[in-house]
Amino acid sequence: MSTTIKVSVDDKVGTLELDNFAKRNALGAATVDEMLHALRAFERQGVRAVVLRTAELRDVWSAGHDIDELPVRGVDPLPFADPLEELLRAVRGYPGAVIAMVHGTVWGGACDLVLNCDLVVGDETAAFAVTPARLGLPYSASGIQYFLARLPLNVVNELMMTADLIPAERAYAVGILNRLVSGDRLLDSTYDLARKVRSRSGDSIRAYKLQATTFVRAVALSAQDSQWINQLRHDVYSGDDYAEGISAFREKRPPDFA
Ligand code: YXS
């Protein structure tokens, strides 16, 4: 019995709703596991367009990775096997369109999730913050690669270096949002788009999407550079900033990165 998401299907358009506002729809392992099951079920049912949204339209869409599940210092917080990393791969690999419908603020790994969706529709409350620099955390190399495929470097720099919210107007201007609509049009605009995609050739869209995500991953990297990337990340998650960032969140105080 799902406890943190709601799932429905109507004429090959699926809906996956985050429904754990008490924890600000944090993407913990249990929630991610339910979402992965939902995506696999959608695929079995031939769902051609998935709308990813929240059950309640509140001021927060998702608070990102469940910080309570992040490991302590000295352990990679975002390994390949991390549940949220697995969810991002599942969204990129879904053989149809995944469309994020955003009302409210989107934080950290939830930004990565939204930006791994194929299309993003938001209203004037939609805002996006990528927060590893608030937590002293080394972002995942695949996450950085995908952000750089999606947004201009200076915009990724702004997200990663400030960890500030980018509001809806600017999110639309820089390409985070495909569509920016008024709140009263958000549902109709999102499902009009989903039904439009559903009406097109599923075979063609599946082949396009899986090729596109394959091309995005196709980056030549020497073994030496791969090792260097791992070392850069290891130095951060073994460092004082990461310990301070996690402690500050748990103690509900601003971090002090001396
Ligand atoms: O105190 P209780 O038990 O009621 O729980 C509080 C929060 O602790 C909890 N909560 C979370 N629990 C785990 N992981 C989270 N990410 C998380 N966010 C919130 O939910 C309850 C209500 O939170 P509260 O009181 O702060 O709500 P609010 O409405 O005042 O503020 C909403 C937020 C989202 C602005 C605030 O909760 C917040 O700033 N959350 C952290 C956002 C964030 O930094 N996310 C990044 C997580 S790490 C991640 O995604 C990646 C690894 S990375 O950093 O690399 O991008």
Side-chain angles (χ1 to χ4, degrees), residues 89-102:
R89 293 192 292 271
V91 168
R92 290 199 293 266
Y94 186 79
V98 181
I99 302 168
M101 185 184 99
V102 181

Side-chain angles (χ1 to χ4, degrees), residues 1-8 15-20 25-42 44-45 50 52 83-84 86-87 90-91:
M1 173 63 184
S2 169
T3 56
T4 61
I5 69 169
K6 289 180 180 165
V7 178
S8 59
T15 296
L16 198 169
E17 298 175 71
L18 299 174
D19 190 21
N20 185 17
N25 294 323
L27 300 169
T31 295
V32 168
D33 190 52
E34 291 166 0
M35 295 173 77
L36 290 169
H37 275 89
L39 288 173
R40 284 193 282 268
F42 285 155
R44 285 194 301 273
Q45 297 169 67
V50 175
L52 175 60
L84 181 52
E86 187 181 355
L87 176 63
V91 168

